[in-house]
């Protein structure tokens, strides 16, 4: 079966859309309440939604929770919306801001007001970690911002970053449980973390910490980051912990990257062979690109093939350019595939519609990408060295531009070979 390049690019876009649809936060919440109808509560229900999918999750939950309710959502700037019967606040991501600090204070006040006859329903999705900074005394917002910038540029994976963040926050690493006690807490979690470690999603506000201060110190020392921390942060991490036992929570995983990959596989057009190669595409983007190209070289050459991947790679910043892990991954794949003899198309995108501090969700490249970049007078090697994948893909017309999707289950990739 012969398939044109335009058709392959369109198919890649449809598969990405299928992944996003499968992670629809309202449907995920609805499915949960269909399985677990709300029993009601003697007192008051406090609904707190945090993350990129917060408004949609909260709107759906409001349809199912009975009795008197207070409802608050905190989501990222650019996702401004309204939810009937609730307040919606926005804050910056991925570096926390003053607006996020105020949102964190509002959440703390709601949690601290809960009593034994009340209950807290936490609706958690990816991106929540940066949205609600609540620095542990004596840390300041500036301290948290400095730590976040350092971690984002370090190349550490999301679990390692959240291990550190949890030690510095009143809300992360089970903070909802500590502050809401004695009220019971239920968490509905849309996971953007590969492997679905609940303590790593939004830094685990309803889950036990991923480790201790000593663990965070060891991690930072091992990666040569400790001396780059603000002095107040180092002092806090070096202070022995005296934490009380953490109250229990009832957590439910309601959506994940794996579900989106399965939806992509099911949406592949008739006549194509499709398989999920990996749902653990992690680590440095250069290594991930090599893994994808290796899978392409090993794929059958006698029929159209869709190779599907999911995960969350990392970029170690060495330059001053603009981009994100999906854009750089797409550009590196295009570079490695430049001598491929057949037609191919590759898409890498964040299911949230955002990739780094840019307007793009990722990249959609093909066998002509490198030539288009060169024709625009750009040097791919220089742009990669400067972490400027956005400029390279913009020159080729290969940015994946979707706008905010309202959900987040990490990243998805598809390689189409014909």
């Amino acid at each position: 079966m012969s398939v044109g390049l335009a058709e392959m690019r369109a198919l890649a876009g449809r598969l990405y859309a299928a992944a996003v649809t499968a992670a629809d936060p309202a449907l995920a919440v609805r499915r949960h309440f269909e399985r677990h109808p709300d029993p009601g509560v003697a007192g008051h229900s406090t609904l707190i939604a945090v993350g990129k999918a917060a408004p949609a999750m909260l709107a759906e939950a409001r349809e199912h929770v009975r009795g008197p309710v207070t409802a608050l959502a905190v989501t990222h700037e650019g996702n401004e919306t309204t939810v009937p019967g609730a307040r919606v606040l926005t804050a910056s991501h991925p570096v926390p801001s003053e607006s996020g600090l105020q949102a964190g204070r509002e959440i703390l006040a709601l949690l601290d007001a809960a009593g034994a006859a009340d209950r807290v329903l936490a609706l958690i999705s990816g991106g929540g970690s940066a949205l609600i900074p609540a620095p542990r005394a004596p840390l300041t917002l500036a301290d948290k911002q400095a730590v976040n910038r350092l971690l984002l540029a370090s190349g550490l994976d999301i679990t390692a970053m959240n291990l550190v963040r949890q030690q510095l926050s009143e809300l992360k690493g089970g903070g909802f449980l500590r502050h809401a006690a004695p009220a019971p807490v239920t968490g509905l979690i849309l996971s953007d973390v590969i492997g679905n470690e609940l303590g790593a999603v939004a830094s685990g506000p309803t889950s036990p910490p991923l480790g201790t201060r000593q663990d965070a110190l060891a991690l930072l020392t091992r990666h040569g980051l400790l001396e780059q921390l603000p002095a107040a942060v180092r002092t806090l991490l070096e202070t022995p912990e005296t934490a009380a036992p953490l109250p229990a929570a009832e957590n439910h995983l309601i959506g994940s990257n794996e579900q989106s990959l399965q939806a992509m596989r099911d949406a592949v057009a008739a006549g194509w062979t499709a398989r999920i190669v990996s749902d653990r595409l992690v680590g440095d983007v250069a290594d991930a690109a090599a893994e994808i190209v290796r899978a392409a070289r090993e794929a059958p050459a006698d029929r159209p093939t869709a190779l599907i991947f999911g995960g969350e790679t990392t970029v170690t910043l060495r330059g001053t350019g603009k981009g994100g892990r999906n854009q750089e991954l797409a550009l590196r794949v295009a570079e490695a595939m430049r001598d491929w003899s057949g037609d191919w198309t590759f898409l890498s995108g964040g299911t949230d519609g955002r990739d780094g501090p840019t307007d793009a969700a990722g990249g959609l490249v093909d066998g002509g990408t490198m030539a288009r970049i060169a024709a625009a007078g750009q040097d791919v090697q220089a742009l990669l060295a400067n972490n400027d994948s956005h400029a390279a893909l913009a020159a080729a017309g290969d940015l994946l531009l979707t706008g905010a999707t309202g959900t987040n289950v990490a990243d998805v990739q598809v390689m189409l070979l014909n």
Side-chain angles (χ1 to χ4, degrees), residues 18-106:
V20 171
T21 299
D24 182 280
L27 292 179
V29 172
R30 189 178 309 161
R31 288 193 296 266
H32 168 81
F33 279 106
E34 288 171 351
R35 294 190 298 266
H36 308 281
D38 180 49
V41 66
H44 189 90
S45 294
T46 297
L47 278 56
I48 301 173
V50 178
K52 296 178 180 179
M57 294 178 76
L58 184 61
E60 183 65 29
R62 288 286 287 114
E63 298 294 322
H64 300 275
V65 174
R66 299 186 294 164
V69 168
T70 298
L72 174 68
V74 184
T75 191
H76 62 86
E77 294 169 350
N79 195 25
E80 287 82 1
T81 186
T82 59
V83 175
R87 295 183 65 226
V88 179
L89 306 178
T90 60
S92 69
H93 179 279
V95 177
S97 65
E98 182 65 34
S99 58
L101 183 66
Q102 295 303 321
R105 289 171 177 165
E106 290 204 29

Side-chain angles (χ1 to χ4, degrees), residues 210-299:
L210 296 167
T212 65
R213 291 181 183 178
Q214 289 71 30
D215 294 329
L217 277 172
L219 175 89
L220 292 164
T221 300
R222 190 162 61 248
H223 290 275
L225 300 173
L226 185 61
E227 295 306 314
Q228 300 178 56
L229 293 173
V233 174
R234 292 199 304 273
T235 299
L236 177 64
L237 292 175
E238 291 165 355
T239 302
E241 294 177 274
T242 57
L246 194 65
E250 181 183 330
N251 286 321
H252 300 268
L253 177 67
I254 63 171
S256 68
N257 184 264
E258 291 91 333
Q259 294 176 15
S260 286
L261 299 186
Q262 292 162 9
M264 293 175 74
R265 181 191 58 200
D266 295 343
V268 170
W272 287 75
T273 296
R275 68 184 180 95
I276 298 172
V277 179
S278 174
D279 60 4
R280 296 289 190 277
L281 191 70
V282 296
D284 188 79
V285 288
D287 296 332
E291 181 178 343
I292 291 164
V293 173
R294 183 166 55 252
R297 297 190 187 284
E298 295 171 353

